[in-house]
Amino acid sequence: MLFLIWYDFFASFIQIAPDLKGAVWNLSVLNPARSLFFYSNSALVYLTSINGGILEVFERYAFIVVLGLAFKSKKMRVELIILLSSLIFSLNHYVNILSEQESFMNTTFQVIDVFSFGCLLAIVYLYTGKSWLAMIIHTTWDFIIFAMTSDALGMESFLYVYDGSAGY
């Protein structure tokens, strides 16, 4: 559980860290009252985080159950369930191109990130059998992202290798 809490913070802050040392928890860029995503509406930060944490985990649970039934007699059933449910879950985030007016490249990075996070949550759920644990982890992740302030803008991570102007 402690690792997953650490991972939530690390995975969020690594995206704005100028170097590996900067990937520690930069809490100065978190403030729901000054949210970059919800224009300083802290109630929306909390409600959206909780909504995503609960509803998206229920959605994943449905994927896992359906895939479990579909692959009940297959070898590597658990691995297939984890990978396919995470793939379906992550591909749903391509709608952000329209709803958040993100570029295709930024959305693709988000989809890859969500895929890996989805694998982690599927493992947590399948290992523990507790959906509430996955909900807490997902809600924490969403809160960290949605509570970021405009101070996080322009903080380019050392992980970004794509530069549209340079073409790589």
Side-chain angles (χ1 to χ4, degrees):
M1 183 67 175
L2 290 175
F3 169 77
L4 293 173
I5 292 169
W6 172 83
Y7 178 80
D8 274 354
F9 281 90
F10 179 79
S12 298
F13 291 122
I14 193 93
Q15 297 176 35
I16 59 171
D19 54 32
L20 191 56
K21 286 190 268 183
V24 296
W25 303 2
N26 183 1
L27 299 179
S28 68
V29 297
L30 296 183
N31 185 347
R34 293 182 38 230
S35 170
L36 172 67
F37 294 95
F38 294 106
Y39 309 107
S40 303
N41 187 340
S42 58
L44 275 178
V45 171
Y46 293 110
L47 291 174
T48 304
S49 299
I50 292 168
N51 180 48
I54 293 172
L55 292 180
E56 288 184 0
V57 169
F58 277 136
E59 177 186 347
R60 288 295 306 285
Y61 176 74
F63 295 151
I64 289 171
V65 168
V66 169
L67 291 170
L69 292 172
F71 297 127
K72 69 181 176 186
S73 62
K74 303 275 188 214
K75 283 187 177 184
M76 297 183 57
R77 176 183 66 178
V78 174
E79 293 84 353
L80 284 170
I81 291 170
I82 290 169
L83 293 174
L84 288 177
S85 69
S86 297
L87 181 64
I88 295 167
F89 176 66
S90 64
L91 290 176
N92 286 335
H93 286 77
Y94 269 113
V95 76
N96 292 342
I97 291 174
L98 302 173
S99 65
E100 297 178 17
Q101 298 175 347
E102 285 287 337
S103 70
F104 180 78
M105 187 58 72
N106 285 344
T107 305
T108 300
F109 285 139
Q110 180 188 24
V111 166
I112 293 167
D113 190 37
V114 169
F115 175 79
S116 62
F117 187 62
C119 288
L120 180 68
L121 287 180
I123 291 168
V124 166
Y125 174 71
L126 291 171
Y127 182 74
T128 66
K130 311 251 185 275
S131 59
W132 62 265
L133 186 56
M135 288 177 190
I136 289 172
I137 295 164
H138 193 295
T139 299
T140 303
W141 173 284
D142 282 352
F143 177 78
I144 293 167
I145 297 299
F146 295 140
M148 285 198 178
T149 65
S150 60
D151 297 339
L153 284 177
M155 298 175 84
E156 294 209 11
S157 173
F158 68 99
L159 295 178
Y160 290 130
V161 293
Y162 177 80
D163 178 12
S165 63
Y168 58 87

